Every structure is written in structure tokens, then in C-alpha cells.
Amino acid sequence: MTGVTRHLFLICSMCVVTFQLLAQNRTVQVLEEGWAFKKGKSSDAFKVQFDDSKWEQVTVPHDWAIYGPFDKDIDKQNIAISQNNEKEATEKTGRTGSLPFIGTAWYRNTFEVPSFETGKTVILLFEGVMSEPEIYLNGEKIGEWKYGYSYFYFDISNALKKGKNTLAVKASNPEFSSRWYPGAGIYRNVSLIVKNKESIDQWGTFITTPLVSDKLARVNVKTQVSGEKITLKTTIYDADKKWVTTNSSTTQFGKSFDQNLKVEHPKLWSPETPYLYTVVSQVYVDDELKDELTTRFGIRDIKYTAENGFQLNGKTTKFKGVCLHHDLGQLGTAINKAALRRQLTILKDMGANAIRSSHNMPSLEQLELCDEMGFLFLAESFDEWKKPKMKNGYHRFFDDYAEKDIVNLVHATRNHPSIVMWSSGNEVPDQWGAEGLKRAKKLQDIFHREDPTRPVTVGMDQVKAVMESGFASLLDVLGLNYRVHLYEEAYEKFPQGMILGSETASTVSSRGIYKFPVVQGKGKQYPDLQSSSYDLEACSWSNVPDEDFVLQDDKDWVIGEFVWTGFDYLGEPTPYDNYWPSRSSYFGISDLAGLPKDRYYLYRCRWNKKEETLHVLPHWNWEGREGEITPVFVYTNYDSAELFINGKSKGIQKKNKDTPQTRYRLMWMDVKYEPGTVKVVAFNKGGKPVAEREIKTAGKADQLVLSPDRKIIKADGKDLSYVEVSVVDKAGIPCPIATNQLKFKVTGKGRYRAACNGDATSLEQFHLPIMKLFSGKLVVLVQSTKEAGKMELTVSGKGLKTAKVILSSKD
Ligand code: GAL
């Protein structure tokens, strides 16, 4: 290159840089790397932040408590759980997961805002900090929040200085503040948004679809802006990024623009067709582009009517839903999109179409995925209002924060088509008393004010009380938690003309564990602290799935259910709240590792109408039970089936309406155990054999089988492959009771992240590369690095052939 051309080249490359800076009128920087973390309290907040000792390097999202160790004394609660109808206080261990989340910790990060001098607006956005965060910038406190589940932000434009800025976040978790494992620390994203003064306000767009038909949709876009003399150009693009329509407006109502756009022949959003459009909002001042924001939305119509229940795009749709806690099992609460996507993939296969975020604000990532994958969403705000459930619960903040928390929930999430209902509370003790009534009204009014398009419910358990007080009558949607025996009465007495099973079942089971004799029971306990997978055990206040199914199927006015819960979660180990070791729930349809329990197939055969389900239980390795009664259950979408034990027929069972169980399950109650083969042949309505399944008694555990959910993952340092590890005998028959201790090693462009076996009584730490199989299985998580390439997981165990699987990552 000559001197002249070199000079020109430099000028040109400078032009490119300048141009890029100018064109980037809004930048969003997610602060993931470079965080320092330390635990411990100090009375001198300034000193802690600038004392350089004892910081540990972490990435955010981060959950400081998930690494354990489990300890029965953490947050030990000596209480009577009133929701569980307990009258006397007893010692509860494991209620909040027995993980070390109590206490205070600090996070610190240093960042620079390059265009700071140019007078930009800088927003610091937090999507969730557990809990009671205090935010400091360069040593000065700039704000705080209380609720660990809220999204919140601060305008830090005036607090920033040129060059390096030091951000510090203090998080504190008091004891007796939660009924489950809440996690600890900055467990959701933090971002820095830099934009011009003339720009769209944070969460300033609100897109609704007030008119929807096959031919035409009216899309209403309300946009809140800062600045004057603005021209707002709003453009809709379809899912292929093709232009659909544009509206330009200079008509500003104070801070707001209100535009209507026509979409002809719209593609409607639904769980089956999760079609997404985008709105691009551009702010111009004197023809100069000042801000640009892209927001995804869906065109769909929702109605709730006494005559037809919930209508989605004109079609009666029942909620086939599950409640989910926010923890991601072995990852704790640190948000991870791959983990969320896997949960939803499992739920899709089961045929679920809805999620309730119990009992708090969902992550934004979860909502994005629900929009994309097609799930209806019931977004909940609180588990407590003003009357306490927990000594240090949300009631301490209710007066000052309830409105702010709801406003932020609605503003941050209202453009997600998946959200079709809000819930202002779950089983709040305020169901009792006149004040509670006023609070219910006030909160519902706030939701209505902020979002007139979606109804509000409360998950209610005090059905008699809310019938008398009128509490339930004022709600848009009547949400009942359990209490199936009161549905009819509630339907008669309340004005809404429909009932939602806002929480149903709470059946308990441990994957692969079966108890004898097989009889239905409430609050059953066993010496091994496991519950039976015959799916006949519930709590004193709850019921088995079939009892809900009867109401869902026979009553048009029941608009669906949200089963407690889709997955096991950390904490709340009912029915073993008083026993140690027991640190996670038994309620899940799938276990804590995401492995389906038998119950999964009971729901699948109802909900997944597209695929065949033919599932047989229990396993057939019962050495010592020879000759003893060992009932066989089959969960299938077929009407009848014949059972064969070692080739001998045990007769045909046909679904019938004698009891809720015989209506939904095929059961052979008097089968005597003998080792060998269990075969089931299913028949269609015409009595023709159409499908069969076989399970066999396994011999000694011999080899490991590794099955990754995804073999190719993204090289972003966050993506995960979930590798299911199981063990089989020499003939390849799965060993259903194996508990071998296994070791894991990952080499190449990946790292071992965590493992989980779904055993609620295991005290093994998830992040250590060693764990026992539970009922013959566990799951290992392999995480990508930022470098693309191959990675190899090796799993070994004493007396077993070592197994390997090669995975790869791509940019
Ligand atoms: C409900 C409550 C849930 C969970 C469940 C267990 O009453 O809303 O949070 O505790 O019971 O059955």
C-alpha cells in the first residue's frame, strides 16, 4: 500500500466507525462478564465496594446459593403451615431447599459508556435480583428495590462519569422470607441501554390487536416518547421480515402517540401456530433518526365469556397448563435460555398449551420462548399481599411496592402474545376480611388501568370465605386452587359463569419408585422419604389428576387447569416437610432433572392428541416380591388393552366411568409378580390391536447409555446439551433400580456444568462431577465455551463399561 492509499484507507475506516456510532442511536449492552462477587455483611457500604480483597470472578446471571452444600439448618422453620391445615408448629427442614441463600452479598462491575459526553439517556435495567437490591454507582447509592422477582430500572444519565464507572449491587436474603427456594443474587440479566434524549421510553410501546378477523386486523400501537416535535414512524414486518405496513405520525398527546395500522389477511398467533410479527418504531426529529426499537408481537383475539369460556381467535380453548416455579433444578435460579427451552420442549411433547408463573413474575426469556413455541401464559405477581404468610415475606413491602411491581410487570411484558391473563395473587391470606376485598379490587384496577385487554384472576383456596365476602365475585376470572368438591357450588354462586383450575392436583410421586399395597391415600409417608409413582397419593388439600379430568371433561364452564407442577422444584418437600434429608418437591409431572415420571404419560395421553401414548408401569425388577400382588397400570390414549405376563393373558381392561381412575387409566390390580416380560397390546375403538409395549426384568447393570437432547449447541458459553444417562444390562434392557455412583468428565470446547438425578433426598452437589443414578437414570449438563468445536463427555462407574459421547458447538 502506498502512503496515499494507506491514508485514504485510514480515513475510510474511520468513516465506517463514525458512521456506525451515529447509526447506533440505541445500544443495549448486557452486563454478563466481568462481575466480581463477595458474600458478607458490612455496615460500611462504601468500604465494601472499594475494598479489593476477597472478590470472586463470576458471570451474571448468577445464583450464589446453588453450589451448596445442602444443610438442614439453613432457614429451618419452626412453624405450622396454615395452607397445609397444620395446627401445631413443627420443625421444617428443606422447605427453602437447604441451600445457603440466606445473607448478604455484593456484586461489582466496571463499565464505560463511550458516547457518554454527547448527552445521552442511559438506563440501567435489572430483570431480577434476589432480593432487596441496593444499587450503587461510583460509591453513591442510586436506588433500591425490594421484591426479588421484579424487573426495575434507573435512569443513570446524571450519575455517570466519563471513563470508567463502578457499579455495585447489594442483595440480601433474610431468613423466613420464602416458602420455596428463591435463589440468591443477580439471577437475571442486567443491561445498560444508551439512547438519545429524544427516544422511546423504557417499556414505552404497547401493542394490542383490538380487531382481529381472518381478513383484517387492526393493530394499535401506543408509544411513549421523550422529546418534542417528534415524527414517529411505525412499521410492521411479518415473520419473514417482509414489510407489511407503515404509519407515520406527528400527533403527540403529551408523551404518547396512538397509531392504528391495518394488517390484511393476518396470520394469527396461537399455541399451534405461534406466528410473530414485529413492530419497528422509529423516532425522527427534523428528519434525523433519533431512536429505533424493535418489538415482537402476535395478532390474536382473546375473550372470556360466561357462555363459551376462554375463546382464542374465536375458538373455545381449554387451558392444558402447568404451574412452574422459577428455579431450573440443578442450575438453580440463574436464568438460562437452553434450560427454559428444554422445559418447554418437554411440556410441548406432553401436549401442554399453558404455563402459570407461580407465584411471581416470569423471566423475559421464558415469555419470549412461549411466544415462539406457542404457550398461553398466566403471569402472576404475588404470593403474599398485606397479610403475612411468612414472617419476612412480601407483606413488608406491599403498601409501598405493590403498585410499582404490577406496573413494571405489565409494562415489561404486555407485548407478549402468550400472556392471556394476569394473576394478582396466590392463596393470599387477605382472602379473609374486608380489607382483603379492597386490596383485590385495587390490584385488579391497577392491572386494568395498565392493560385493559387481559382479565385478572387470583388463585383462591379459601373458597367458602371468598363466597361469603364477595372477594371472588369481583374478580374477572374465578381461579380455584384444588377444592374440586366445591366447583359446582362455586359455579352456581359466582357471577362469572366459568371456573379456572388455577392450581390442580398436587399429586406427589418419585420417579421410578412404587409402593405397595397400591391404594389411594393422602399425605402418605414412607421410611425412604419417597412417594409412589402409581400416582394415587396427594396432600390433605389436594387430589389425584383423574379427579380434575372429570371436571375438565364434563363441565363446559371449567376453562382448564394449571397442574401443580410441571417439574419438581427446589424446596417445599411435601409430604416430607418435617423430615431430613428431603430438599425438593415431589409434585412435578417430571422430576427435578426434567425426566418424566409416569404421570407425564397420564397427561400426555389426554393432552397430546397427535401422538400415540402407551405407557406401562411399574418397572419389572422386583426381586423378593415373587408371588406378591404387583398391580400393572397403563396410561394410553387407546380405549382398551390386554396385558400379558410372560405370555399369559391377564385379561382385557377397558376404560369405563365407574371411578375417576377407571375412566382414565387401565389397571390390572391383582397381577402377581414373576420376573420376565410384561406385554401390553392396545386396541382401537373397533377392538383391533394397534400398538404394543413390552418391559422386561433386567439383569446386572453392565453398560451406560448416553442420549443428548441436542448434539450441536451454540458456542456462546451459555448453551447446554442435556445428556440423559441410563444404565442397561448385557442384553440392553434398562436397569430401573440402579443407583451406581458415576463420574463425569468433559474435554474439548465444552465444560461440565451440573448433574441431577431427580432424587429429592440426595445431598450430592449438582456442580460436582460425581453423582449416583436414581431409578437407573440421571442427567448431565454440558455447557459450550465461546470457542466453537467438539467436546466429549465421558461417564464412568465402577463395574460399568465407560461411555462417551461427542457433541459440538457452532458460532
Ligand atoms: C398450594 C400453593 C402452592 C404449593 C402447593 C402445594 O396451596 O399455592 O404454592 O404450596 O399448595 O400443594
Side-chain angles (χ1 to χ4, degrees):
M1 211 184 274
T2 67
V4 177
T5 49
R6 218 173 88 122
H7 192 63
L8 272 177
F9 174 77
L10 271 177
I11 291 174
C12 285
S13 36
M14 273 164 68
C15 291
V16 171
V17 174
T18 321
F19 171 75
Q20 277 176 348
L21 276 180
L22 283 180
Q24 277 184 4
N25 37 47
R26 173 184 281 259
T27 60
V28 181
Q29 187 190 346
V30 182
L31 300 179
E32 287 178 332
E33 313 272 333
W35 287 91
F37 166 79
K38 74 171 146 195
K39 254 182 116 173
K41 219 177 176 163
S42 162
S43 48
D44 188 341
F46 193 83
K47 212 166 134 204
V48 185
Q49 293 174 61
F50 294 98
D51 166 7
D52 283 333
S53 60
K54 297 198 199 125
W55 293 94
E56 182 193 325
Q57 292 308 305
V58 297
T59 51
V60 159
H62 178 245
D63 176 355
W64 85 59
I66 192 61
Y67 305 100
F70 293 101
D71 181 341
K72 97 186 261 239
D73 288 322
I74 297 171
D75 205 25
K76 196 160 64 184
Q77 305 180 0
N78 200 11
I79 47 162
I81 304 178
S82 56
Q83 302 97 259
N84 298 6
N85 307 320
E86 292 176 5
K87 302 280 177 273
E88 271 170 45
T90 51
E91 185 179 281
K92 310 278 184 308
T93 49
R95 197 174 184 215
T96 47
S98 307
L99 289 162
F101 73 97
I102 306 280
T104 296
W106 284 86
Y107 291 83
R108 190 170 81 174
N109 203 342
T110 304
F111 64 88
E112 243 178 278
V113 179
S115 47
F116 162 67
E117 299 131 286
T118 57
K120 301 257 173 177
T121 294
V122 184
I123 301 286
L124 182 60
L125 170 70
F126 291 86
E127 293 173 19
V129 182
M130 191 61 67
S131 62
E132 301 181 39
E134 290 178 21
I135 318 297
Y136 295 80
L137 194 62
N138 304 318
E140 295 289 325
K141 186 167 169 184
I142 55 160
E144 62 177 25
W145 210 264
K146 296 294 179 191
Y147 197 29
Y149 297 100
S150 271
Y151 336 105
F152 60 95
Y153 65 90
F154 301 107
D155 182 333
I156 59 167
S157 320
N158 297 330
L160 275 179
K161 61 177 195 191
K162 202 174 163 193
K164 285 202 178 353
N165 285 270
T166 302
L167 170 67
V169 179
K170 180 186 173 190
S172 313
N173 291 314
E175 55 182 0
F176 314 137
S177 56
S178 186
R179 300 195 295 118
W180 55 81
Y181 176 66
I186 313 182
Y187 69 106
R188 288 180 181 166
N189 279 336
V190 181
S191 33
L192 205 58
I193 300 158
V194 183
K195 53 187 189 159
N196 289 316
K197 293 282 177 219
E198 302 87 354
S199 54
I200 298 159
D201 290 354
Q202 183 60 28
W203 304 325
T205 41
F206 185 16
I207 307 166
T208 57
T209 50
L211 193 122
V212 176
S213 74
D214 288 342
K215 285 200 186 107
L216 183 73
R218 175 180 143 213
V219 179
N220 179 264
V221 186
K222 293 191 171 49
T223 312
Q224 182 132 328
V225 294
S226 289
E228 278 158 27
K229 295 198 180 139
I230 284 172
T231 301
L232 183 70
K233 193 169 156 196
T234 299
T235 305
I236 296 179
Y237 293 92
D238 71 9
D240 299 321
K241 299 194 172 76
K242 283 207 197 95
W243 177 88
V244 177
T245 182
T246 297
N247 177 290
S248 272
S249 174
T250 50
T251 316
Q252 225 172 311
F253 304 93
K255 292 194 94 191
S256 300
F257 281 86
D258 193 333
Q259 295 164 292
N260 285 302
L261 293 93
K262 250 188 187 181
V263 176
E264 289 184 24
H265 304 291
K267 296 209 170 74
L268 304 191
W269 185 95
S270 73
E272 297 75 37
T273 56
Y275 192 91
L276 294 170
Y277 290 86
T278 49
V279 154
V280 175
S281 312
Q282 292 170 309
V283 170
Y284 287 89
V285 176
D286 297 333
D287 292 336
E288 190 187 330
L289 181 63
K290 292 286 189 179
D291 193 18
E292 182 169 312
L293 184 68
T294 301
T295 312
R296 267 198 331 193
F297 74 104
I299 298 180
R300 52 113 180 99
D301 177 56
I302 57 167
K303 279 192 191 73
Y304 293 79
T305 66
E307 300 71 46
N308 297 313
F310 173 55
Q311 302 280 296
L312 177 68
N313 302 327
K315 265 200 262 153
T316 304
T317 305
K318 285 212 183 196
F319 292 102
K320 301 185 276 185
V322 297
C323 299
L324 292 183
H325 264 213
H326 68 307
D327 77 63
L328 295 166
Q330 58 275 54
L331 296 176
T333 57
I335 207 69
N336 180 291
K337 225 168 164 176
L340 288 165
R341 191 180 286 111
R342 172 176 178 258
Q343 282 196 337
L344 296 179
T345 306
I346 293 167
L347 293 173
K348 255 280 155 186
D349 175 69
M350 188 170 74
N353 69 0
I355 312 279
R356 169 186 181 222
S357 61
S358 41
H359 306 293
N360 33 58
M361 290 74 179
S363 68
L364 301 181
E365 291 84 348
Q366 189 179 34
L367 293 173
E368 279 163 23
L369 289 167
C370 285
D371 292 347
E372 286 166 19
M373 295 171 73
F375 283 91
L376 305 165
F377 209 95
L378 169 49
E380 192 154 75
S381 49
F382 310 119
D383 191 48
E384 235 179 70
W385 294 349
K386 180 82 191 211
K387 283 194 180 177
K389 272 185 192 173
M390 297 301 301
K391 186 172 156 222
N392 292 321
Y394 185 75
H395 65 96
R396 293 179 297 147
F397 314 125
F398 181 81
D399 281 341
D400 295 335
Y401 275 86
E403 177 161 5
K404 291 196 267 188
D405 284 328
I406 291 178
V407 167
N408 284 11
L409 165 64
V410 175
H411 286 195
T413 65
R414 59 192 172 184
N415 296 321
H416 291 281
S418 51
I419 300 184
V420 291
M421 199 189 299
W422 304 108
S423 163
S424 65
N426 172 63
E427 298 186 356
V428 288
D430 307 59
Q431 287 167 101
W432 297 94
E435 286 304 312
L437 221 75
K438 295 193 181 86
R439 285 178 202 127
K441 168 97 171 59
K442 185 180 160 190
L443 298 182
Q444 180 163 282
D445 286 350
I446 299 170
F447 273 108
H448 287 169
R449 184 191 73 208
E450 299 304 322
D451 174 16
T453 72
R454 297 173 176 99
V456 181
T457 191
V458 169
M460 292 172 290
D461 62 334
Q462 302 304 320
V463 183
K464 290 280 183 190
V466 295
M467 272 183 194
E468 271 162 38
S469 68
F471 182 107
S473 307
L474 67 86
L475 300 171
D476 300 330
V477 175
L478 194 63
L480 296 195
N481 285 8
Y482 315 103
R483 315 299 186 279
V484 279
H485 58 287
L486 292 173
Y487 270 44
E488 291 270 3
E489 191 183 341
Y491 171 65
E492 294 302 330
K493 290 215 170 125
F494 291 117
Q496 290 92 342
M498 63 183 133
I499 289 181
L500 169 68
S502 40
E503 208 171 296
T504 62
S506 260
T507 300
V508 288
S509 61
S510 307
R511 180 181 52 78
I513 304 288
Y514 306 89
K515 302 293 183 186
F516 303 95
V518 177
V519 277
Q520 200 165 335
K522 299 257 165 124
K524 284 193 158 190
Q525 293 168 334
Y526 302 93
D528 61 354
L529 310 190
Q530 303 292 356
S531 295
S532 179
S533 269
Y534 276 103
D535 300 322
L536 291 171
E537 298 176 6
C539 311
S540 63
W541 60 91
S542 64
N543 52 270
V544 294
D546 325 61
E547 291 173 40
D548 295 309
F549 297 166
V550 171
L551 284 165
Q552 298 295 328
D553 287 348
D554 294 352
K555 309 290 174 195
D556 288 344
W557 42 266
V558 178
I559 64 168
E561 64 169 323
F562 287 89
V563 180
W564 193 263
T565 46
F567 295 89
D568 279 335
Y569 50 93
L570 293 162
E572 212 181 19
T574 316
Y576 299 107
D577 304 283
N578 301 343
Y579 294 84
W580 182 257
S582 176
R583 47 64 175 164
S584 52
S585 83
Y586 299 78
F587 295 118
I589 294 174
S590 291
D591 72 14
L592 194 71
L595 295 168
K597 299 179 188 172
D598 293 296
R599 236 182 317 144
Y600 179 87
Y601 301 96
L602 189 56
Y603 287 97
R604 189 181 193 268
C605 63
R606 278 173 66 67
W607 284 353
N608 183 339
K609 299 271 182 236
K610 288 196 198 126
E611 274 149 299
E612 170 185 290
T613 299
L614 182 55
H615 177 75
V616 187
L617 65 129
H619 63 71
W620 214 240
N621 266 65
W622 294 108
E623 204 181 329
R625 283 194 63 79
E626 288 79 3
E628 287 187 56
I629 296 284
T630 309
V632 173
F633 286 12
V634 167
Y635 299 158
T636 179
N637 51 317
Y638 296 112
D639 227 32
S640 61
E642 184 168 8
L643 174 73
F644 299 87
I645 306 287
N646 291 330
K648 271 186 261 111
S649 173
K650 298 286 160 188
I652 294 176
Q653 289 290 335
K654 194 168 171 21
K655 289 179 190 166
N656 61 69
K657 288 196 176 173
D658 291 351
T659 69
Q661 275 74 46
T662 58
R663 187 166 167 187
Y664 297 104
R665 316 178 188 200
L666 299 174
M667 300 181 293
W668 288 261
M669 294 306 289
D670 48 11
V671 175
K672 290 201 175 123
Y673 176 67
E674 57 184 78
T677 305
V678 179
K679 184 170 130 183
V680 170
V681 178
F683 305 108
N684 66 10
K685 290 239 188 279
K688 216 172 123 217
V690 277
E692 57 178 70
R693 256 330 147 267
E694 245 182 30
I695 52 170
K696 290 188 165 148
T697 307
K700 208 170 142 265
D702 183 59
Q703 34 187 322
L704 292 157
V705 179
L706 312 186
S707 335
D709 68 335
R710 288 158 65 224
K711 280 196 155 166
I712 303 169
I713 57 177
K714 230 175 150 189
D716 60 1
K718 294 186 275 195
D719 205 0
L720 297 165
S721 176
Y722 280 74
V723 184
E724 185 179 314
V725 179
S726 56
V727 64
V728 296
D729 69 5
K730 276 213 163 77
I733 300 167
C735 302
I737 54 173
T739 54
N740 307 54
Q741 179 92 58
L742 305 181
K743 280 192 186 155
F744 322 112
K745 200 170 139 205
V746 178
T747 53
K749 308 286 183 229
R751 66 180 188 105
Y752 167 79
R753 178 67 177 82
C756 183
N757 60 14
D759 176 2
T761 71
S762 164
L763 300 181
E764 292 162 295
Q765 286 160 271
F766 303 119
H767 68 291
L768 300 179
I770 175 165
M771 190 168 280
K772 277 186 172 166
L773 291 165
F774 177 62
S775 296
K777 286 184 183 173
L778 56 74
V779 172
V780 176
L781 278 62
V782 179
Q783 189 155 41
S784 63
T785 60
K786 287 195 170 169
E787 248 181 282
K790 292 211 179 319
M791 58 200 102
E792 187 176 65
L793 166 68
T794 307
V795 183
S796 57
K798 219 168 147 197
L800 299 170
K801 290 187 191 107
T802 296
K804 290 175 194 285
V805 65
I806 294 179
L807 310 167
S808 61
S809 66
K810 280 191 179 160
D811 285 324

